[in-house]
Amino acid sequence: MQKITFFIAGLLSLAPLAGFAQELRPRTAGEDRFWKKADAVVRKAIPHTPGNGWEISAETTDDSGFQPDKTWAEDKGPYSYVYEITFVLNPETVKARLDSVAQLVVTAPERAEELVRQMERISAEAQCRIVMIVNSNYSALGFCSGKPSFPTYPATTAAVRVPAGASCEAATMLLLGKFAKPATDKLDGQSGTVSANGILTGGGAFTLHNVEIKFRAAPDVADFFIRKTDIAGLAALVGTSLR
């Protein structure tokens, strides 16, 4: 309960980051430059032609990731920007992989259960949704099965990976720049949340303090896209102005 109360208080104290706007106002010239630069920074870091049969199925293509609320003070910050992109495997590639396993079910019926699970994995590994947040106030991943792990990646402050479960998907979260150490809060023996508070102090209103990147995909797929993403380039921008 204390964690939830802290989270809500943090959102209320940093209205520009909350994202539940009721009435919008026009952006100032500085705010307009901020979101356009933030968009360019994260868009450049993500591979748009990753290869291996992966294609873009959805992507942020407008200014929906940055909409100033009428209650926000102009040019005060800190400001946040959200960008999303989803990749899917080419349907023909997925079909070929499924057909290959399906043929084994016919020739080796004693392995049917194992092969069905393999086909389920192929389907689950056919998508990767990436969500990037410039200046995250609070970053979290929930889990409903197994235990979170904390892999290491170059140029990151921290990384968290949670396994898939009956009611939750596998995901990997990378934190770049200014974040507190991630903490794990368990709700019961199988579920909980791993979270870290972003540190958005110092610098000017348009400073890039941190970047959160979530790869919602199976571990192998997440690692494929992590290798393709310019993590070092993003980390090098921490502390710079996007005005």
Side-chain angles (χ1 to χ4, degrees), residues 147-168:
K147 295 181 179 180
S149 58
F150 302 88
T152 57
Y153 296 93
T156 62
T157 300
V160 181
R161 171 165 285 166
V162 296
S167 59
C168 59

Side-chain angles (χ1 to χ4, degrees), residues 73-131:
E74 295 185 354
D75 293 337
K76 292 296 182 182
Y79 292 103
S80 178
Y81 177 69
V82 182
Y83 168 84
E84 295 190 26
I85 186 168
T86 300
F87 293 91
V88 294
L89 270 177
N90 182 292
E92 293 182 0
T93 301
V94 177
K95 183 178 182 302
R97 294 180 182 180
L98 290 173
D99 287 349
S100 175
V101 178
Q103 291 175 5
L104 294 176
V105 175
V106 176
T107 58
E110 70 280 2
R111 297 177 56 202
E113 290 187 12
E114 171 199 343
L115 295 171
V116 167
R117 288 194 296 271
Q118 187 174 337
M119 293 174 73
E120 290 174 346
R121 286 196 298 272
I122 290 172
S123 297
E125 293 174 356
Q127 176 173 298
C128 179
R129 182 164 68 95
I130 303 172
V131 182

Side-chain angles (χ1 to χ4, degrees), residues 42-218:
V42 295
R43 195 178 297 274
K44 180 181 178 182
I46 290 292
H48 282 65
T49 53
N52 286 13
W54 289 97
E55 304 171 348
I56 296 173
S57 69
E59 182 183 19
T60 300
T61 57
D62 55 21
D63 60 357
S64 58
F66 182 83
Q67 295 288 340
D69 187 283
K70 190 175 182 179
T71 61
W72 298 3
E74 295 185 354
D75 293 337
K76 292 296 182 182
Y79 292 103
S80 178
Y81 177 69
V82 182
Y83 168 84
E84 295 190 26
I85 186 168
T86 300
F87 293 91
V88 294
L89 270 177
N90 182 292
E92 293 182 0
T93 301
V94 177
K95 183 178 182 302
R97 294 180 182 180
L98 290 173
D99 287 349
S100 175
V101 178
Q103 291 175 5
L104 294 176
V105 175
V106 176
T107 58
E110 70 280 2
R111 297 177 56 202
E113 290 187 12
E114 171 199 343
L115 295 171
V116 167
R117 288 194 296 271
Q118 187 174 337
M119 293 174 73
E120 290 174 346
R121 286 196 298 272
I122 290 172
S123 297
E125 293 174 356
Q127 176 173 298
C128 179
R129 182 164 68 95
I130 303 172
V131 182
M132 305 179 72
I133 302 178
V134 173
N135 289 345
S136 172
N137 180 40
Y138 175 84
S139 300
L141 273 183
F143 60 94
C144 65
S145 177
K147 295 181 179 180
S149 58
F150 302 88
T152 57
Y153 296 93
T156 62
T157 300
V160 181
R161 171 165 285 166
V162 296
S167 59
C168 59
E169 59 187 346
T172 303
M173 178 171 69
L174 305 188
L175 304 179
L176 288 62
K178 297 161 62 178
F179 282 96
K181 184 179 179 180
T184 303
D185 293 314
K186 288 191 175 181
L187 298 178
D188 52 45
Q190 292 294 320
S191 62
T193 302
V194 182
S195 62
N197 294 310
I199 301 171
L200 306 178
T201 56
F206 304 99
T207 297
L208 189 157
H209 297 280
N210 63 40
V211 180
E212 169 202 306
I213 315 175
K214 285 192 179 91
F215 298 84
R216 296 199 174 275

